[in-house]
Amino acid sequence: MASPGEGDLALALEALLRQAGSANDGDTVARLEHLTGGANMETWRFELRGADRAISRSLILRRRPAGMSSHEMLPPPLSLATEARLLNLAGRAGVPVPTVLAVSEATSDLGEALVMTCLDGEALPQHLLRAEDFATARRRLAFQCGESLGRLHGISPADLPGELRDLSWEADLDRLQALSDYFGNVSPAHQLAINWFRRQPAPQSPRVLCHGDFRNGNLLVGPGGLQGVLDWELAHVGFAAEDLGYLCARVWRFGGEPPVGGFGSYEDLLAGYCSVGAYQPTIRELRFWELYAALGWGLVCLTMRELHRSGADPGLERAAVGRRLCESEIDILLLLEDLDP
């Protein structure tokens, strides 16, 4: 039996889906399950059952918790209505994404939320990288990721929501410097990376819609490969190679040896990307953006540590991420040695 809070949530979901035309009178929400994972959003899985209970659909609720803590130095999160628009754009471009069924505003009974179809697959990186039943998927996944990113980056800029962050290269480096300075510039490795980027020519890859968090952990994978791309809250306008290099960052390999998410090669990733687009990145460009991702991860660690220490969000997840600062520093030094020996 659902708790009183879950009962209210089920009623709000039923009303939203009926209003959106995605449920009929008499359809009911059942088997609400609060899923683990996700520092910034609630995710629930549930069934929508027909009045005769003969047919049910498995759906996903993504909801912004009331009073969610962020940080004044971080870009404001995208609204879930904008995420829904991006999912629709990506789906039409051929990127595997859930289908959005309904969106609610922050002032509604449900709060700011979206409801979408539930795709089959596994997102847990440790399972994907080691389980024998994903062996075939691992051989295909880097190419498929490149292919999906190529399709995403091919979306016309004219179709993009105006809410998306769109910073010039210099403005973005200023943002990273300001964030480092805010935390007392405690990491010489971080400052070394920022200084190195200042000395480089501005990136030349096209400006496109970037997912912003395209990585192992946000990819839903089945035995045959990529099934879905999840968690679009960091989407922005950026450089095409940024998404590719981010996927290769060591932090998202979860102990796997291959550079692309711990499961694939640079060559397969680039082959998939180039199969659907005119722009052809180089491996050096990917390494450039791996360094950028390592710097960004370090600043995320500092931000999470501050949220925990200040008491704004004393949860264990913030503290655990904050303790991983040294990972980014080691990666930065190794990457700089490779890029600028």
Side-chain angles (χ1 to χ4, degrees):
M1 179 179 296
S3 68
E6 289 183 5
D8 292 342
L9 179 58
L11 290 174
L13 277 168
E14 291 166 8
L16 175 66
L17 288 166
R18 282 195 294 269
Q19 183 180 15
S22 297
N24 300 314
D25 291 340
D27 288 355
T28 57
V29 166
R31 297 177 64 86
L32 273 164
E33 179 185 4
H34 193 182
L35 304 179
T36 58
N40 298 320
M41 292 286 174
E42 287 182 6
T43 303
W44 296 75
R45 181 167 51 212
F46 64 95
E47 287 184 5
L48 182 66
R49 294 177 176 172
D52 59 2
R53 296 183 174 241
I55 300 175
S56 66
R57 287 191 292 167
S58 185
L59 303 178
I60 293 291
L61 165 68
R62 182 167 161 81
R63 183 168 72 159
R64 194 181 309 281
M68 182 193 72
S69 297
S70 185
H71 196 280
E72 61 183 294
M73 293 297 291
L74 295 180
L78 291 180
S79 70
L80 287 173
T82 296
E83 280 196 47
R85 287 184 61 189
L86 294 178
L87 284 167
N88 290 333
L89 284 171
R92 289 199 295 270
V95 181
V97 292
T99 299
V100 176
L101 300 178
V103 180
S104 71
E105 301 295 332
T107 54
S108 71
D109 290 342
L110 192 59
E112 187 183 356
L114 65 84
V115 178
M116 51 193 171
T117 55
C118 181
L119 302 179
D120 292 331
E122 174 64 73
L124 187 64
Q126 290 80 358
H127 191 193
L128 296 177
L129 294 178
R130 294 167 179 82
E132 183 58 33
D133 48 344
F134 289 100
T136 298
R138 287 192 292 271
R139 290 193 293 272
R140 299 173 177 173
L141 196 51
F143 184 95
Q144 292 171 334
C145 286
E147 196 174 36
S148 288
L149 284 173
R151 289 175 176 150
L152 175 67
H153 295 169
I155 293 173
S156 171
D159 293 334
L160 300 181
E163 184 186 352
L164 294 180
R165 178 166 55 92
D166 185 359
L167 296 180
S168 69
W169 177 239
E170 285 301 320
D172 198 40
L173 291 181
D174 289 344
R175 176 187 68 86
L176 295 173
Q177 183 68 68
L179 191 54
S180 178
D181 291 344
Y182 180 89
F183 294 118
N185 206 320
V186 297
S187 172
H190 290 174
Q191 190 60 56
L192 188 65
I194 294 172
N195 293 347
W196 186 87
F197 281 125
R198 295 278 193 196
R199 295 194 301 269
Q200 308 307 308
Q204 296 302 304
S205 61
R207 298 283 289 177
V208 298
L209 169 61
C210 287
H211 179 277
D213 203 14
F214 194 103
R215 60 172 176 85
N216 198 359
N218 285 340
L219 307 176
L220 199 61
V221 181
L226 186 63
Q227 296 285 94
V229 181
L230 310 177
D231 291 359
W232 291 72
E233 64 194 76
L234 299 182
H236 61 278
V237 176
F239 295 96
E242 178 185 343
D243 264 344
L244 292 157
Y246 186 87
L247 174 60
C248 302
R250 187 177 298 276
V251 63
W252 307 128
R253 298 176 194 173
F254 295 92
E257 287 298 324
V260 180
F263 50 73
S265 68
Y266 292 126
E267 291 78 10
D268 283 350
L269 176 67
L270 292 175
Y273 190 80
C274 295
S275 72
V276 294
Y279 168 59
Q280 299 187 18
T282 66
I283 291 179
R284 180 177 173 82
E285 283 181 275
L286 300 192
R287 300 289 280 168
F288 178 99
W289 287 105
E290 279 183 51
L291 177 61
Y292 179 88
L295 172 61
W297 172 243
L299 294 172
V300 165
C301 291
L302 283 171
T303 305
M304 297 300 105
R305 188 176 73 175
E306 173 66 17
L307 284 169
H308 179 77
R309 285 181 170 179
S310 69
D313 188 342
L316 180 61
E317 187 166 2
R318 304 293 194 191
V321 172
R323 293 184 69 243
R324 299 177 64 182
L325 174 65
C326 60
E327 291 179 5
S328 72
E329 296 175 315
I330 293 169
D331 288 344
I332 284 169
L333 296 176
L334 291 172
L335 284 161
L336 282 173
E337 185 177 28
D338 179 53
L339 287 164
D340 199 10

